[in-house]
Amino acid sequence: MTYWVPPGGLPPQTDLTTGQSGRAVFTEAYAVLPRGTMSDIVTSRLPHWTDTRLWVIARPLSGFAETFSWYVAEVAPGGGSQRPDDDPDAEAVLLVVGGAATLAVDGTERALRPGSYAFVPPGTPWTLRNDGDEAATFHWIRKAYERVDGVEVPAAFVVHEDDVAIEPMPDTDGAWGTQRFVDPLDVRHDMHVNIVTFEPGGAIPFPETHVMEHGLYVLEGKAVYLLNQDWVEVQEGDFMWLRAFCPQACYAGGPGRFRYLLYKDVNRHPRLTM
């Protein structure tokens, strides 16, 4: 498996504005942040993190993502945090895409490498550090956990995607499949963060239209994606946000696999008041 890692930097003054970053689109139904938008000048810093920068590619905002935030974090050698998140309601999924890091959850340390996936429940102490000699890059997806009386909060876990089978969608001959890191029937979880894979020529052959909000980050390959009424060409490193009920479909058109990391909110009553 391969994973796109943002290179940072700045485009040269000779580049056209309508080049890579010129594909950026922001609408009421969806947004596309091409990989060229993730330059040095749009990085952020966080309190209690050292030698770390991140690209904030989604955040709760009126008219944009409502249920989650999504960072692409880059931790320099020697960097990290002993106090990564002070929000007691925040649950997190981490997916490492470059370098290596050490994650400690409830005092238990685990070595992370590209493809390592971690779930951290709300209110759970955790730390992360980079003891290596190259930058560690990871996706960090956060959601305010929705507690339900009589339903336990799920436990932390760490797994590698190599150990999670791709489950083919019915009647696709394996052209479209999903790696599910939690049991879809486990209602303790109120978000799913999966990896979706299409073989060349694979497709979503109908416009999915549903209540779940989506974030999609392309890890590998290229495709044409239907977003509302628009067919948009996307490639590795691009991020898409899809509002609830935004119609979506996909054709994988590259010579290799098309894979993306997918967020969706699940298993809870829709809120009736804001």
Side-chain angles (χ1 to χ4, degrees), residues 154-224:
F157 68 87
V158 176
V159 68
H160 194 275
E161 77 147 306
D162 287 349
D163 300 319
V164 179
I166 298 176
E167 300 177 20
M169 295 296 286
D171 303 319
T172 64
D173 293 325
W176 170 20
T178 301
Q179 288 167 283
R180 295 181 172 89
F181 294 87
V182 301
D183 183 349
L185 301 181
D186 185 350
V187 296
R188 295 177 304 165
H189 288 275
D190 67 351
M191 73 169 172
H192 289 167
V193 180
N194 301 324
I195 295 178
V196 180
T197 298
F198 292 88
E199 297 297 335
I204 300 175
F206 62 99
E208 291 188 35
T209 308
H210 51 63
V211 68
M212 286 85 76
E213 180 180 34
H214 275 340
L216 293 83
Y217 186 95
V218 183
L219 299 170
E220 181 180 357
K222 67 175 184 176
V224 179

Side-chain angles (χ1 to χ4, degrees), residues 8-17 20-21 36 39:
L10 288 172
Q13 293 285 292
T14 52
D15 269 14
L16 295 178
T17 304
Q20 271 291 335
S21 58
S39 64

Side-chain angles (χ1 to χ4, degrees), residues 103-125:
L103 173 71
V105 181
D106 278 336
T108 301
E109 289 194 349
R110 293 180 173 90
L112 306 182
R113 58 187 174 91
S116 293
Y117 177 111
F119 170 73
V120 182
T124 302

Side-chain angles (χ1 to χ4, degrees), residues 72-89:
V72 181
E74 181 186 86
V75 183
S81 179
Q82 296 293 310
R83 187 177 163 185
D85 196 337
D86 283 340
D87 188 337
D89 294 324

Side-chain angles (χ1 to χ4, degrees), residues 3 57 68 70-72 93-97 115-118 138-141 161 178-179 181 192-197 214-220 225 237-242 258-264:
Y3 311 90
I57 55 179
F68 70 102
W70 191 316
Y71 312 149
V72 181
V93 164
L94 312 179
L95 176 72
V96 177
V97 292
S116 293
Y117 177 111
F138 62 94
H139 291 264
W140 178 3
I141 300 167
E161 77 147 306
T178 301
Q179 288 167 283
F181 294 87
H192 289 167
V193 180
N194 301 324
I195 295 178
V196 180
T197 298
H214 275 340
L216 293 83
Y217 186 95
V218 183
L219 299 170
E220 181 180 357
Y225 226 93
D238 291 351
F239 175 77
M240 293 171 273
W241 163 75
L242 284 67
F258 174 64
R259 301 198 311 139
Y260 55 79
L261 188 63
L262 171 71
Y263 161 90
K264 59 182 176 182

Side-chain angles (χ1 to χ4, degrees), residues 4 20 23 33-39 235-239:
W4 175 261
Q20 271 291 335
R23 297 185 293 113
L33 277 65
R35 67 191 194 186
T37 62
M38 285 194 276
S39 64
Q235 66 178 160
E236 53 199 14
D238 291 351
F239 175 77

